[in-house]
Amino acid sequence: FLAYKLNAHPPGVDETLLSAMARHVFGAGIPYYILQAATAAILILAANTSFADFPRLASLLAADRFLPRQLASRGDRLVFSNGVLVLALFASVLIVIFKGSEQRMLPLYALGVFISFTLSQAGMVVHWKRLRQVDEAERRIREEEEIHRTETADSGAASHEAERLQAIERDKGGNWLLSIIVNATGAVVSFVVLVIITITKFTHGAWAVVLLIPLIVFMFRSIRSHYLDIARQLSTEGAVPATTIAGHRVVVPISGIHRGVIFALEYAKSIAPGHVTAVYVDFNEEATEKLQEKWPRWGAGVELVILKSPYRSLTRPLLRYIERLSKQSEKQMITVLLPEFVPAKWWHQLLHNQSSLLLKGSLLFQKGVIVTSVPYHLE
């Protein structure tokens, strides 16, 4: 109202409209600075509200399987840390995209606010209607109980009790009606403002919200469908006891002979005696010949299979070999045992190749195959 009466317009990029109006009304005195400090406090509170409430809201959605379950977990400080980190990441992305200009981000904020207001007010209308239905059911139960209790009482006491119950119901009915009027009015007003902002600011960035919200809802439903599908597949309802594993074969991919490989071969022999195969992918004929020379002494009686790899690929020949073993018997369980040496310093790991990680990632989606790591710790 004051801005309308003063015909106020933003003075420029160096001063906000609220600051210019306060300076015009109060001058440059103490009231002006109080108003500026109050404005800053409100904005800080508004920003903090997002970090306080979005993680909680995300945890509720995650509990209902509309968001990843990690967002429902509390951190060591008893807050939903994952939600805080996700919000900080998206807020940083928005700041970079819009170059920190609050004017360019304002349509996003305004649309988000009035969509939330409209949905929350409409939701309260539904809430009051449901509460009214519950109250009516409870009222009927109480009336039946009261009639039963007053059957033996005198008529004066019974009529007095009936009047008291009617008065209570009138009060509740009035509260219900007032609440639904207030919330319905709020929903209509918020929706009207939402439509106005969408139309007037559509080309100024509001189109992004109009496009993103249906995509976000689609994402929510897809995540929930995924979780429900997993629950259906893991459910014990209608399941039959698992069949006995007919056989167990252990495959040990090796890159040469060293103490870590010898330790892994001994471990493999302990879990599947007589059913262990060491597999070596041939990249270099000279290295393969040296391995074959050492194998009778250090191979611990384990069968050695050498796979040719003309294109110097490590994972592809191994996957083909394991796939052939799987087709021999569906009830045979195959364990791929990966020898790994663990350096004394964590940063030493950066100096070595990560072929075991590539194998783990490739074999993870291989049905009927179990991947096990056998670490050999270095001093």
Side-chain angles (χ1 to χ4, degrees):
F1 176 78
L2 186 60
Y4 173 75
K5 286 297 183 182
L6 295 177
N7 193 23
H9 293 84
V13 296
D14 297 330
E15 187 178 13
T16 65
L17 179 62
L18 187 61
S19 171
M21 290 171 57
R23 189 165 42 79
H24 176 80
V25 174
F26 299 110
I30 294 178
Y32 168 79
Y33 290 103
I34 292 177
L35 184 61
Q36 292 297 97
T39 304
I42 291 173
L43 293 176
I44 292 173
L45 180 62
N48 181 70
T49 300
S50 301
F51 283 90
D53 290 334
F54 171 79
R56 185 181 297 110
L57 174 62
S59 71
L60 296 175
L61 288 171
D64 290 335
R65 302 177 180 178
F66 286 105
L67 281 177
R69 300 303 294 269
Q70 297 90 328
L71 296 175
S73 303
R74 293 182 184 270
D76 53 0
R77 298 190 178 186
L78 301 181
V79 297
F80 299 103
S81 305
N82 293 332
V84 174
L85 294 176
V86 168
L87 181 60
L89 174 63
F90 280 111
S92 302
V93 170
L94 285 177
I95 290 175
V96 172
I97 292 176
F98 291 94
K99 299 180 180 180
S101 173
E102 67 275 10
Q103 293 298 324
R104 296 176 63 187
M105 289 188 286
L106 187 59
L108 306 181
Y109 169 77
L111 274 182
V113 165
F114 283 99
I115 288 175
S116 302
F117 286 171
T118 304
L119 293 176
S120 62
Q121 293 296 308
M124 288 303 297
V125 173
V126 176
H127 165 74
W128 291 120
K129 291 180 65 177
R130 289 177 178 174
L131 188 63
R132 175 63 175 177
Q133 294 171 357
V134 172
D135 285 343
E136 289 179 351
E138 293 178 350
R139 178 180 59 80
R140 287 194 297 268
I141 294 174
R142 287 199 306 270
E143 285 181 350
E144 293 175 359
E145 293 177 350
E146 193 61 33
I147 291 173
H148 177 73
R149 285 198 304 268
T150 58
E151 282 180 349
T152 57
D154 60 347
S155 58
S159 61
H160 177 72
E161 184 65 22
E163 291 176 0
R164 187 179 69 84
L165 288 174
Q166 290 176 2
I168 293 175
E169 294 306 324
R170 280 198 304 271
D171 292 341
K172 286 193 173 183
N175 291 337
W176 167 81
L177 184 59
L178 177 62
S179 299
I180 203 171
I181 290 174
V182 170
N183 293 130
T185 303
V188 171
V189 172
S190 298
F191 180 73
V192 170
V193 177
L194 172 64
V195 172
I196 293 174
I197 294 178
T198 302
I199 295 174
T200 57
K201 298 294 184 180
F202 187 83
T203 58
H204 295 79
W207 63 267
V209 179
V210 175
L211 177 65
L212 281 176
I213 286 181
L215 294 178
I216 291 173
V217 173
F218 176 76
M219 180 191 70
F220 287 166
R221 296 179 64 87
S222 300
I223 291 174
R224 180 173 172 80
S225 299
H226 170 74
Y227 280 128
L228 292 178
D229 183 57
I230 288 180
R232 178 184 56 80
Q233 296 188 49
L234 296 179
S235 174
T236 56
E237 184 178 354
V240 295
T243 57
T244 305
I245 297 175
H248 185 204
R249 174 165 292 278
V250 178
V251 177
V252 185
I254 62 174
S255 58
I257 288 291
H258 54 73
R259 295 189 181 187
V261 170
I262 297 172
F263 176 71
L265 292 174
E266 293 296 332
Y267 175 75
K269 290 167 59 179
S270 69
I271 63 175
H275 297 85
V276 180
T277 303
V279 180
Y280 178 77
V281 179
D282 182 9
F283 291 148
N284 185 293
E285 293 184 359
E286 183 179 351
T288 303
E289 291 176 358
K290 290 182 179 180
L291 174 65
Q292 290 175 321
E293 292 175 1
K294 294 181 179 180
W295 192 255
R297 179 180 180 184
W298 300 107
V302 175
E303 177 189 5
L304 175 63
V305 175
I306 298 178
L307 304 176
K308 295 294 183 179
S309 180
Y311 301 106
R312 303 185 61 81
S313 172
L314 173 64
T315 59
R316 195 170 301 170
L318 276 171
L319 291 175
R320 284 200 298 263
Y321 175 76
I322 294 171
E323 187 177 356
R324 288 197 300 268
L325 290 179
S326 301
K327 290 180 178 179
Q328 293 178 4
S329 175
E330 294 182 356
K331 296 183 179 180
Q332 177 179 255
M333 187 61 64
I334 298 176
T335 298
V336 179
L337 198 147
L338 300 177
E340 298 183 60
F341 62 87
V342 181
K345 306 292 185 181
W346 68 267
W347 53 270
H348 289 172
Q349 195 73 35
L350 302 176
L351 304 177
H352 305 279
N353 62 42
Q354 305 298 324
S355 56
S356 60
L357 293 178
L358 295 176
L359 281 174
K360 288 178 185 177
S362 301
L363 294 170
L364 179 63
F365 302 97
Q366 197 81 9
K367 190 175 182 180
V369 177
I370 298 174
V371 183
T372 303
S373 296
V374 180
Y376 186 81
H377 294 270
L378 304 178
E379 298 179 357

